[in-house]
Protein backbone atom coordinates (compact mmCIF):
# COMPACT_ATOMS: atom_id res chain seq x y z
CA UNK A 1 0.00 0.00 0.00
CA UNK A 2 2.87 2.38 0.91
CA UNK A 3 4.68 1.46 -2.37
CA UNK A 4 1.56 2.53 -4.36
CA UNK A 5 1.36 5.86 -2.56
CA UNK A 6 5.08 6.55 -3.11
CA UNK A 7 4.73 6.04 -6.90
CA UNK A 8 1.73 8.46 -7.24
CA UNK A 9 2.38 11.74 -9.02
CA UNK A 10 2.88 14.62 -6.56
CA UNK A 11 -0.36 16.37 -7.60
CA UNK A 12 -2.44 13.22 -7.08
CA UNK A 13 -0.86 12.62 -3.71
CA UNK A 14 -1.99 16.01 -2.33
CA UNK A 15 -5.47 15.56 -3.79
CA UNK A 16 -5.89 12.28 -1.84
CA UNK A 17 -4.68 13.94 1.37
CA UNK A 18 -7.10 16.89 0.92
CA UNK A 19 -10.08 14.55 0.31
CA UNK A 20 -9.29 12.58 3.47
CA UNK A 21 -9.15 15.76 5.61
CA UNK A 22 -12.43 17.07 4.14
CA UNK A 23 -14.26 13.82 4.95
CA UNK A 24 -12.86 13.88 8.50
CA UNK A 25 -14.17 17.43 9.10
CA UNK A 26 -17.63 16.58 7.71
CA UNK A 27 -17.96 13.58 10.00
CA UNK A 28 -17.31 15.75 13.07
CA UNK A 29 -20.15 18.28 12.34
CA UNK A 30 -23.44 17.41 14.43
CA UNK A 31 -26.58 16.54 12.49
CA UNK A 32 -29.49 19.10 12.59
CA UNK A 33 -33.23 18.93 11.81
CA UNK A 34 -33.81 21.21 8.81
CA UNK A 35 -37.52 21.67 9.74
CA UNK A 36 -36.93 22.41 13.44
CA UNK A 37 -39.33 19.61 14.41
CA UNK A 38 -38.92 16.83 16.95
CA UNK A 39 -38.83 13.44 15.37
CA UNK A 40 -41.11 11.01 17.23
CA UNK A 41 -40.65 7.29 17.11
CA UNK A 42 -43.17 4.80 18.49
CA UNK A 43 -41.63 2.27 20.79
CA UNK A 44 -43.49 -1.03 20.77
CA UNK A 45 -42.91 -3.43 23.66
CA UNK A 46 -43.76 -7.10 23.57
CA UNK A 47 -46.95 -8.03 25.43
CA UNK A 48 -46.32 -9.90 28.70
CA UNK A 49 -48.36 -13.02 29.37
CA UNK A 50 -49.06 -11.78 32.95
CA UNK A 51 -50.97 -8.74 31.66
CA UNK A 52 -53.46 -10.66 29.56
CA UNK A 53 -57.04 -10.88 30.94
CA UNK A 54 -59.30 -8.54 32.99
CA UNK A 55 -57.36 -6.33 35.38
CA UNK A 56 -58.23 -3.07 37.19
CA UNK A 57 -56.80 0.03 35.58
CA UNK A 58 -54.73 2.13 37.96
CA UNK A 59 -55.41 5.87 38.08
CA UNK A 60 -53.49 8.67 39.77
CA UNK A 61 -54.45 9.15 43.45
CA UNK A 62 -55.45 12.75 42.72
CA UNK A 63 -58.34 11.69 40.48
CA UNK A 64 -60.86 10.92 43.30
CA UNK A 65 -59.33 13.00 46.09
CA UNK A 66 -61.96 15.77 45.93
CA UNK A 67 -64.84 13.29 45.91
CA UNK A 68 -63.49 11.45 48.94
CA UNK A 69 -63.06 14.67 50.87
CA UNK A 70 -66.78 15.38 50.43
CA UNK A 71 -67.86 11.92 51.57
CA UNK A 72 -65.92 11.81 54.87
CA UNK A 73 -66.24 14.66 57.39
CA UNK A 74 -63.11 15.94 59.05
CA UNK A 75 -62.91 14.57 62.59
CA UNK A 76 -59.33 15.60 63.12
CA UNK A 77 -60.25 18.54 65.38
CA UNK A 78 -62.53 16.56 67.72
CA UNK A 79 -61.14 15.29 71.01
CA UNK A 80 -61.55 11.64 71.96
CA UNK A 81 -61.21 11.09 75.69
CA UNK A 82 -61.01 7.61 77.28
CA UNK A 83 -61.32 7.30 81.06
CA UNK A 84 -61.25 4.21 83.30
CA UNK A 85 -63.28 4.81 86.44
CA UNK A 86 -61.45 4.61 89.77
CA UNK A 87 -62.96 4.43 93.25
CA UNK A 88 -64.70 7.71 94.09
CA UNK A 89 -64.86 9.05 90.50
CA UNK A 90 -68.08 10.79 89.49
CA UNK A 91 -69.36 12.06 86.17
CA UNK A 92 -69.59 15.55 87.67
CA UNK A 93 -65.85 15.56 88.43
CA UNK A 94 -65.04 14.24 84.95
CA UNK A 95 -67.08 17.04 83.34
CA UNK A 96 -65.36 19.63 85.52
CA UNK A 97 -61.87 18.35 84.59
CA UNK A 98 -62.74 18.45 80.89
CA UNK A 99 -64.36 21.92 81.17
CA UNK A 100 -67.71 20.56 79.99
CA UNK A 101 -70.96 22.33 80.81
CA UNK A 102 -72.84 21.38 83.98
CA UNK A 103 -76.09 22.06 82.08
CA UNK A 104 -75.15 19.34 79.59
CA UNK A 105 -74.62 16.93 82.47
CA UNK A 106 -78.14 17.66 83.69
CA UNK A 107 -79.50 16.92 80.21
CA UNK A 108 -77.64 13.59 80.20
CA UNK A 109 -78.99 12.66 83.62
CA UNK A 110 -82.51 13.43 82.44
CA UNK A 111 -81.98 11.20 79.39
CA UNK A 112 -80.56 8.55 81.74
CA UNK A 113 -83.82 8.40 83.71
CA UNK A 114 -84.74 5.47 81.45
CA UNK A 115 -81.61 3.51 82.42
CA UNK A 116 -80.44 4.85 85.83
CA UNK A 117 -76.76 4.12 85.19
CA UNK A 118 -74.83 7.41 85.09
CA UNK A 119 -75.16 8.43 88.74
CA UNK A 120 -73.39 5.40 90.16
CA UNK A 121 -70.26 4.66 88.12
CA UNK A 122 -68.22 1.73 89.41
CA UNK A 123 -64.43 1.16 89.42
CA UNK A 124 -63.28 -0.55 86.25
CA UNK A 125 -66.03 0.84 84.04
CA UNK A 126 -64.89 2.77 80.96
CA UNK A 127 -66.16 6.20 79.87
CA UNK A 128 -65.54 7.52 76.35
CA UNK A 129 -66.18 11.17 75.40
CA UNK A 130 -66.22 12.82 71.97
CA UNK A 131 -65.85 16.62 72.26
CA UNK A 132 -65.96 19.20 69.44
CA UNK A 133 -63.37 22.01 68.96
CA UNK A 134 -65.88 24.39 70.60
CA UNK A 135 -65.92 22.07 73.65
CA UNK A 136 -69.41 20.72 72.96
CA UNK A 137 -70.05 17.13 74.02
CA UNK A 138 -71.00 15.17 70.90
CA UNK A 139 -71.31 11.74 72.48
CA UNK A 140 -70.82 9.88 75.74
CA UNK A 141 -70.37 6.12 76.03
CA UNK A 142 -70.22 4.11 79.24
CA UNK A 143 -69.05 0.49 79.05
CA UNK A 144 -70.89 -0.80 82.12
CA UNK A 145 -69.79 -4.42 81.87
CA UNK A 146 -69.32 -7.17 79.31
CA UNK A 147 -73.04 -7.28 78.62
CA UNK A 148 -74.09 -3.61 78.75
CA UNK A 149 -72.91 -0.48 76.93
CA UNK A 150 -74.82 2.80 77.36
CA UNK A 151 -74.46 5.57 74.74
CA UNK A 152 -75.70 9.16 74.52
CA UNK A 153 -75.46 10.91 71.14
CA UNK A 154 -76.32 14.56 70.41
CA UNK A 155 -79.01 14.69 67.72
CA UNK A 156 -80.91 17.89 66.89
CA UNK A 157 -79.73 19.50 70.15
CA UNK A 158 -81.07 16.57 72.23
CA UNK A 159 -79.10 13.70 73.73
CA UNK A 160 -80.57 10.39 72.62
CA UNK A 161 -79.75 7.37 74.76
CA UNK A 162 -79.37 3.73 73.75
CA UNK A 163 -78.52 0.74 75.92
CA UNK A 164 -76.80 -2.02 73.95
CA UNK A 165 -77.29 -5.37 75.67
CA UNK A 166 -75.39 -8.50 74.66
CA UNK A 167 -77.61 -11.47 75.38
CA UNK A 168 -74.68 -13.82 75.53
CA UNK A 169 -75.21 -17.55 75.85
CA UNK A 170 -77.16 -19.38 78.55
CA UNK A 171 -75.75 -22.77 79.50
CA UNK A 172 -77.31 -25.23 81.91
CA UNK A 173 -75.39 -26.82 84.78
CA UNK A 174 -76.62 -29.77 86.82
CA UNK A 175 -75.91 -30.19 90.55
CA UNK A 176 -76.84 -33.02 92.87
CA UNK A 177 -75.96 -33.81 96.44
CA UNK A 178 -76.89 -35.53 99.66
CA UNK A 179 -77.73 -33.78 102.92
CA UNK A 180 -75.02 -34.30 105.55
CA UNK A 181 -75.74 -31.32 107.78
CA UNK A 182 -77.53 -28.06 107.02
CA UNK A 183 -78.94 -27.64 103.53
CA UNK A 184 -76.77 -24.55 102.95
CA UNK A 185 -73.50 -26.36 103.74
CA UNK A 186 -74.51 -29.45 101.77
CA UNK A 187 -75.51 -27.38 98.72
CA UNK A 188 -72.32 -25.32 98.93
CA UNK A 189 -70.22 -28.48 98.67
CA UNK A 190 -71.79 -29.26 95.28
CA UNK A 191 -70.74 -25.88 93.86
CA UNK A 192 -74.00 -23.94 94.21
CA UNK A 193 -73.60 -20.24 95.08
CA UNK A 194 -75.19 -18.50 98.06
CA UNK A 195 -77.59 -16.68 95.76
CA UNK A 196 -78.66 -19.91 94.06
CA UNK A 197 -79.18 -21.65 97.41
CA UNK A 198 -81.34 -18.75 98.56
CA UNK A 199 -83.35 -19.03 95.35
CA UNK A 200 -83.93 -22.75 95.99
CA UNK A 201 -85.04 -22.12 99.56
CA UNK A 202 -87.36 -19.34 98.44
CA UNK A 203 -88.96 -21.51 95.77
CA UNK A 204 -89.89 -24.29 98.22
CA UNK A 205 -90.33 -22.42 101.49
CA UNK A 206 -94.15 -22.49 101.28
CA UNK A 207 -94.14 -26.32 101.00
CA UNK A 208 -91.08 -27.36 102.98
CA UNK A 209 -89.34 -26.36 106.23
CA UNK A 210 -85.60 -26.74 105.58
CA UNK A 211 -84.77 -26.45 109.29
CA UNK A 212 -87.20 -29.06 110.68
CA UNK A 213 -88.12 -31.47 107.87
CA UNK A 214 -84.72 -32.03 106.26
CA UNK A 215 -82.91 -35.25 107.31
CA UNK A 216 -79.44 -36.67 106.73
CA UNK A 217 -79.52 -38.76 103.55
CA UNK A 218 -82.17 -36.67 101.78
CA UNK A 219 -81.03 -35.76 98.26
CA UNK A 220 -81.44 -32.68 96.10
CA UNK A 221 -81.14 -32.22 92.35
CA UNK A 222 -80.79 -28.73 90.84
CA UNK A 223 -80.62 -27.41 87.26
CA UNK A 224 -79.11 -23.92 86.92
CA UNK A 225 -78.90 -21.69 83.81
CA UNK A 226 -75.78 -19.49 83.69
CA UNK A 227 -75.13 -16.58 81.35
CA UNK A 228 -71.81 -16.35 79.51
CA UNK A 229 -70.69 -13.17 77.71
CA UNK A 230 -67.91 -13.64 75.16
CA UNK A 231 -67.08 -16.97 76.79
CA UNK A 232 -66.83 -15.60 80.34
CA UNK A 233 -69.36 -16.30 83.12
CA UNK A 234 -71.27 -13.08 83.86
CA UNK A 235 -72.39 -14.32 87.32
CA UNK A 236 -76.01 -13.95 86.23
CA UNK A 237 -77.87 -17.21 86.83
CA UNK A 238 -81.33 -18.69 87.35
CA UNK A 239 -82.38 -21.86 89.12
CA UNK A 240 -84.53 -23.60 86.51
CA UNK A 241 -85.60 -26.72 88.38
CA UNK A 242 -85.34 -28.30 91.83
CA UNK A 243 -86.16 -31.82 93.01
CA UNK A 244 -85.87 -32.48 96.74
CA UNK A 245 -86.20 -36.16 97.64
CA UNK A 246 -87.02 -36.96 101.27
CA UNK A 247 -88.04 -40.21 102.98
CA UNK A 248 -91.70 -39.24 102.96
CA UNK A 249 -92.16 -37.58 99.54
CA UNK A 250 -90.57 -35.62 96.70
CA UNK A 251 -90.86 -31.84 96.30
CA UNK A 252 -90.50 -30.14 92.89
CA UNK A 253 -90.15 -26.56 91.67
CA UNK A 254 -89.90 -25.39 88.04
CA UNK A 255 -89.28 -21.80 86.97
CA UNK A 256 -91.84 -20.43 84.53
CA UNK A 257 -91.32 -17.52 82.12
CA UNK A 258 -93.30 -15.24 84.44
CA UNK A 259 -90.55 -15.54 87.07
CA UNK A 260 -92.62 -17.71 89.42
CA UNK A 261 -92.08 -21.32 90.51
CA UNK A 262 -94.65 -24.08 90.01
CA UNK A 263 -94.64 -27.75 90.94
CA UNK A 264 -94.60 -30.47 88.28
CA UNK A 265 -98.39 -30.23 87.94
CA UNK A 266 -98.39 -26.49 87.34
CA UNK A 267 -99.55 -25.48 90.84
CA UNK A 268 -98.11 -22.18 92.08
CA UNK A 269 -95.50 -22.35 94.85
CA UNK A 270 -95.56 -18.64 95.62
CA UNK A 271 -98.09 -15.85 95.77
CA UNK A 272 -99.35 -14.39 92.52
CA UNK A 273 -98.38 -10.93 91.31
CA UNK A 274 -100.29 -7.89 92.53
CA UNK A 275 -101.34 -5.11 90.17
CA UNK A 276 -100.62 -2.14 92.46
CA UNK A 277 -97.41 -1.49 94.44
CA UNK A 278 -99.40 0.39 97.13
CA UNK A 279 -102.45 -0.55 99.16
CA UNK A 280 -105.84 0.29 97.71
CA UNK A 281 -106.26 1.99 94.33
CA UNK A 282 -104.90 5.53 94.60
CA UNK A 283 -105.53 8.19 91.98
CA UNK A 284 -103.27 8.07 88.93
CA UNK A 285 -101.82 11.53 88.26
CA UNK A 286 -99.90 10.59 85.09
CA UNK A 287 -100.33 7.48 82.97
CA UNK A 288 -97.90 5.55 80.78
CA UNK A 289 -97.23 7.67 77.69
CA UNK A 290 -94.31 7.14 75.27
CA UNK A 291 -94.88 10.62 73.70
CA UNK A 292 -95.38 12.76 76.78
CA UNK A 293 -94.15 16.37 76.94
CA UNK A 294 -91.89 16.58 79.99
CA UNK A 295 -93.33 19.05 82.55
CA UNK A 296 -89.89 20.44 83.52
CA UNK A 297 -87.79 20.41 80.33
CA UNK A 298 -90.78 20.93 77.96
CA UNK A 299 -89.31 18.37 75.57
CA UNK A 300 -90.90 15.19 74.29
CA UNK A 301 -89.71 12.46 76.62
CA UNK A 302 -91.42 9.09 77.09
CA UNK A 303 -93.19 8.60 80.41
CA UNK A 304 -92.40 4.94 80.94
CA UNK A 305 -94.34 4.51 84.15
CA UNK A 306 -97.50 5.20 86.11
CA UNK A 307 -97.54 8.05 88.66
CA UNK A 308 -99.67 7.50 91.76
CA UNK A 309 -100.79 10.65 93.62
CA UNK A 310 -99.75 9.57 97.13
CA UNK A 311 -98.19 11.58 99.93
CA UNK A 312 -94.65 11.31 101.25
CA UNK A 313 -94.17 8.20 103.39
CA UNK A 314 -96.75 5.92 101.74
CA UNK A 315 -95.77 2.23 101.96
CA UNK A 316 -94.47 0.73 98.71
CA UNK A 317 -94.58 -3.06 98.24
CA UNK A 318 -92.98 -5.56 95.84
CA UNK A 319 -95.54 -6.73 93.28
CA UNK A 320 -93.93 -10.18 92.94
CA UNK A 321 -91.07 -12.39 94.10
CA UNK A 322 -87.67 -11.28 92.87
CA UNK A 323 -84.20 -9.97 93.63
CA UNK A 324 -83.14 -6.33 94.08
CA UNK A 325 -81.06 -5.45 91.03
CA UNK A 326 -80.18 -1.87 92.02
CA UNK A 327 -81.06 0.51 94.85
CA UNK A 328 -79.60 3.98 95.23
CA UNK A 329 -79.87 7.67 94.35
CA UNK A 330 -80.08 9.33 90.94
CA UNK A 331 -80.22 13.14 90.48
CA UNK A 332 -83.24 12.87 88.17
CA UNK A 333 -85.00 9.80 89.61
CA UNK A 334 -84.20 10.45 93.27
CA UNK A 335 -84.11 7.40 95.55
CA UNK A 336 -84.98 4.39 93.40
CA UNK A 337 -85.28 0.58 93.47
CA UNK A 338 -85.07 -1.89 90.56
CA UNK A 339 -86.32 -5.45 91.12
CA UNK A 340 -85.80 -8.36 88.72
CA UNK A 341 -88.56 -10.98 88.62
CA UNK A 342 -86.98 -13.82 86.67
CA UNK A 343 -85.70 -13.30 83.15
CA UNK A 344 -88.92 -11.74 81.86
CA UNK A 345 -90.15 -9.05 84.26
CA UNK A 346 -88.52 -6.04 85.93
CA UNK A 347 -90.15 -3.37 88.13
CA UNK A 348 -88.84 0.10 89.07
CA UNK A 349 -89.83 2.56 91.80
CA UNK A 350 -88.68 6.22 91.64
CA UNK A 351 -88.68 9.40 93.82
CA UNK A 352 -88.78 7.43 97.09
CA UNK A 353 -88.23 9.07 100.47
CA UNK A 354 -86.78 5.86 101.95
CA UNK A 355 -85.21 2.65 100.61
CA UNK A 356 -85.80 -0.39 102.84
CA UNK A 357 -83.99 -3.07 100.79
CA UNK A 358 -80.44 -3.56 99.55
CA UNK A 359 -78.88 -4.63 96.27
CA UNK A 360 -78.84 -8.43 95.84
CA UNK A 361 -81.57 -9.05 98.42
CA UNK A 362 -84.16 -11.67 97.47
CA UNK A 363 -87.69 -10.56 98.30
CA UNK A 364 -91.22 -11.95 98.20
CA UNK A 365 -94.39 -10.50 96.79
CA UNK A 366 -95.96 -8.05 99.25
CA UNK A 367 -92.72 -7.18 101.06
CA UNK A 368 -92.37 -3.55 102.14
CA UNK A 369 -89.49 -2.19 100.07
CA UNK A 370 -89.66 1.59 100.55
CA UNK A 371 -91.63 4.77 101.19
CA UNK A 372 -92.95 7.15 98.54
CA UNK A 373 -91.50 10.64 98.39
CA UNK A 374 -90.50 13.65 96.32
CA UNK A 375 -86.75 13.15 95.73
CA UNK A 376 -84.84 13.86 92.54
CA UNK A 377 -86.30 15.97 89.75
CA UNK A 378 -89.96 15.84 90.70
CA UNK A 379 -92.91 18.24 90.48
CA UNK A 380 -94.47 17.04 93.75
CA UNK A 381 -94.96 14.04 96.07
CA UNK A 382 -95.90 10.88 94.17
CA UNK A 383 -94.77 7.33 93.36
CA UNK A 384 -93.42 6.64 89.88
CA UNK A 385 -93.87 2.91 89.13
CA UNK A 386 -92.62 1.07 86.02
CA UNK A 387 -93.13 -2.44 84.70
CA UNK A 388 -90.75 -3.84 82.04
CA UNK A 389 -91.16 -6.99 79.94
CA UNK A 390 -87.82 -8.25 78.58
CA UNK A 391 -86.29 -4.83 79.42
CA UNK A 392 -88.97 -2.90 77.48
CA UNK A 393 -91.34 -0.61 79.43
CA UNK A 394 -95.05 -1.41 79.17
CA UNK A 395 -98.22 -0.01 80.73
CA UNK A 396 -98.26 -1.52 84.24
CA UNK A 397 -102.04 -1.04 84.46
CA UNK A 398 -102.68 -3.09 81.31
CA UNK A 399 -99.89 -5.69 81.15
CA UNK A 400 -101.03 -9.32 81.29
CA UNK A 401 -99.85 -10.47 84.74
CA UNK A 402 -99.84 -13.99 86.23
CA UNK A 403 -102.51 -13.26 88.85
CA UNK A 404 -103.68 -16.84 89.49
CA UNK A 405 -102.10 -19.62 91.58
CA UNK A 406 -101.82 -21.99 88.61
CA UNK A 407 -100.12 -21.81 85.25
CA UNK A 408 -102.72 -20.22 82.92
CA UNK A 409 -104.31 -22.73 80.57
CA UNK A 410 -102.95 -20.90 77.51
CA UNK A 411 -99.39 -21.31 78.87
CA UNK A 412 -99.75 -24.88 80.13
CA UNK A 413 -98.36 -26.60 77.03
CA UNK A 414 -95.20 -24.44 76.97
CA UNK A 415 -94.70 -24.99 80.71
CA UNK A 416 -94.98 -28.77 80.35
CA UNK A 417 -92.44 -28.78 77.52
CA UNK A 418 -89.90 -26.79 79.57
CA UNK A 419 -90.54 -29.00 82.62
CA UNK A 420 -89.93 -32.19 80.64
CA UNK A 421 -86.78 -30.76 79.07
CA UNK A 422 -85.41 -29.95 82.53
CA UNK A 423 -86.27 -33.42 83.82
CA UNK A 424 -84.40 -35.02 80.90
CA UNK A 425 -81.30 -32.93 81.59
CA UNK A 426 -81.46 -34.02 85.25
CA UNK A 427 -81.86 -37.67 84.28
CA UNK A 428 -85.31 -37.84 85.88
CA UNK A 429 -87.34 -38.62 82.74
Amino acid sequence: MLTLVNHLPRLHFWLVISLFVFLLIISLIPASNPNGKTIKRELTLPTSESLKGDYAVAEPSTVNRDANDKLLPDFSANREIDITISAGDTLSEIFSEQALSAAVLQELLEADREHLRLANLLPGQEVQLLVSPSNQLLSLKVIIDRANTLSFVLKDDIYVSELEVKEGEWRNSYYQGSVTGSFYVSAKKTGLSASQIQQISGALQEQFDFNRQLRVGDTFHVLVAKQYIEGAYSFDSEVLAVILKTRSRNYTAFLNEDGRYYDKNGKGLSKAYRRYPVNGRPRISSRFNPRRLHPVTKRVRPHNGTDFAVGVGTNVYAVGDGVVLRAGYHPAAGNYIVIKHGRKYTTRFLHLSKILVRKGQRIEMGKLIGKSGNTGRSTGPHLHYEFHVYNKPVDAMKVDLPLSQEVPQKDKKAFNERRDLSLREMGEL
Side-chain angles (χ1 to χ4, degrees):
M1 182 68 177
L2 293 175
T3 303
L4 177 62
V5 171
N6 291 331
H7 286 84
L8 284 176
R10 194 170 189 81
L11 179 60
H12 289 178
F13 174 79
W14 287 111
L15 286 174
V16 171
I17 294 300
S18 299
L19 180 61
F20 175 78
V21 171
F22 175 76
L23 292 176
L24 179 63
I25 293 173
I26 290 299
S27 66
L28 294 176
I29 297 175
S32 61
N33 182 6
N35 298 325
K37 295 181 181 180
T38 301
I39 299 175
K40 298 182 180 180
R41 293 183 176 87
E42 183 177 354
L43 180 62
T44 303
L45 298 176
T47 302
S48 171
E49 291 295 327
S50 63
L51 295 179
K52 292 181 180 180
D54 296 330
Y55 293 91
V57 178
E59 295 183 359
S61 60
T62 56
V63 173
N64 295 321
R65 183 176 297 164
D66 293 339
N68 290 337
D69 289 343
K70 295 178 181 178
L71 290 175
L72 299 176
D74 181 15
F75 288 113
S76 59
N78 292 334
R79 287 190 295 141
E80 296 182 4
I81 305 166
D82 294 335
I83 300 171
T84 299
I85 299 300
S86 300
D89 286 352
T90 65
L91 202 58
S92 177
E93 293 173 348
I94 293 173
F95 269 54
S96 178
E97 291 173 359
Q98 300 300 328
L100 295 172
S101 168
V104 169
L105 177 58
Q106 294 304 315
E107 290 184 41
L108 288 171
L109 290 171
E110 185 62 39
D112 182 51
R113 187 191 290 254
E114 182 180 351
H115 310 289
L116 302 176
R117 299 289 188 146
L118 289 184
N120 301 294
L121 298 178
L122 300 176
Q125 292 178 341
E126 296 180 31
V127 175
Q128 300 174 353
L129 306 172
L130 182 63
V131 183
S132 72
S134 61
N135 222 44
Q136 183 180 35
L137 181 67
L138 302 178
S139 69
L140 167 69
K141 178 183 290 187
V142 181
I143 302 175
I144 300 170
D145 50 38
R146 285 192 182 96
N148 301 279
T149 300
L150 180 59
S151 300
F152 298 85
V153 179
L154 184 63
K155 293 182 179 179
D156 300 325
D157 297 326
I158 296 177
Y159 288 99
V160 179
S161 64
E162 180 181 3
L163 181 63
E164 179 186 352
V165 180
K166 296 180 181 178
E167 294 298 331
E169 179 184 7
W170 288 86
R171 306 174 192 170
N172 293 348
S173 299
Y174 174 55
Y175 301 86
Q176 61 177 335
S178 179
V179 176
T180 56
S182 71
F183 176 71
Y184 181 86
V185 173
S186 301
K188 261 288 190 180
K189 290 180 179 178
T190 67
L192 290 164
S193 69
S195 175
Q196 293 158 0
I197 295 171
Q198 188 180 10
Q199 197 169 352
I200 295 168
S201 301
L204 291 172
Q205 66 180 354
E206 296 281 333
Q207 285 71 40
F208 187 80
D209 189 330
F210 283 84
N211 294 324
R212 296 183 178 181
Q213 293 179 257
L214 202 62
R215 299 287 183 269
V216 174
D218 291 344
T219 61
F220 53 91
H221 309 259
V222 184
L223 188 66
V224 177
K226 297 180 178 180
Q227 185 189 43
Y228 290 81
I229 304 293
E230 297 176 348
Y233 179 35
S234 68
F235 297 99
D236 190 7
S237 66
E238 290 181 336
V239 174
L240 299 179
V242 180
I243 301 176
L244 182 59
K245 298 181 179 181
T246 69
R247 296 176 184 179
S248 58
R249 57 168 289 192
N250 294 343
Y251 297 87
T252 58
F254 297 90
L255 183 64
N256 195 26
E257 275 201 336
D258 58 18
R260 297 177 63 207
Y261 285 95
Y262 299 82
D263 67 13
K264 64 179 181 180
N265 298 317
K267 302 293 184 181
L269 300 180
S270 58
K271 297 176 182 177
Y273 282 79
R274 54 187 288 172
R275 177 70 66 182
Y276 293 86
V278 292
N279 288 332
R281 294 195 176 188
R283 181 177 65 87
I284 296 176
S285 57
S286 183
R287 294 187 177 274
F288 177 84
N289 183 0
R291 297 294 300 170
R292 187 187 72 155
L293 185 68
H294 194 277
V296 176
T297 63
K298 303 302 180 183
R299 290 179 174 176
V300 175
R301 287 288 188 188
H303 188 246
N304 292 329
T306 301
D307 288 350
F308 295 104
V310 294
V312 174
T314 301
N315 288 342
V316 179
Y317 303 95
V319 298
D321 294 352
V323 61
V324 179
L325 202 60
R326 293 191 299 279
Y329 181 82
H330 187 281
N335 294 321
Y336 71 93
I337 299 172
V338 180
I339 299 176
K340 182 181 180 182
H341 309 272
R343 203 179 300 182
K344 185 175 182 180
Y345 299 145
T346 307
T347 52
R348 308 200 316 171
F349 310 82
L350 278 56
H351 307 300
L352 303 172
S353 61
K354 288 185 179 180
I355 297 174
L356 302 177
V357 291
R358 65 184 184 280
K359 180 181 177 181
Q361 181 179 349
R362 187 162 293 278
I363 58 175
E364 301 174 23
M365 190 277 289
K367 178 178 177 56
L368 179 63
I369 60 173
K371 302 275 188 176
S372 65
N374 190 29
T375 57
R377 198 171 299 171
S378 172
T379 56
H382 70 287
L383 171 64
H384 178 92
Y385 167 57
E386 296 183 13
F387 198 99
H388 293 210
V389 178
Y390 292 121
N391 298 316
K392 299 295 182 182
V394 299
D395 190 341
M397 299 296 100
K398 297 180 180 179
V399 63
D400 184 19
L401 288 176
L403 302 175
S404 66
Q405 284 297 107
E406 295 187 29
V407 174
Q409 194 59 40
K410 62 183 179 64
D411 300 327
K412 200 68 177 288
K413 181 180 179 181
F415 170 80
N416 290 339
E417 289 176 350
R418 285 193 297 271
R419 176 203 62 196
D420 292 347
L421 182 60
S422 295
L423 289 172
R424 288 192 188 94
E425 289 196 53
M426 300 168 75
E428 297 290 330
L429 189 65

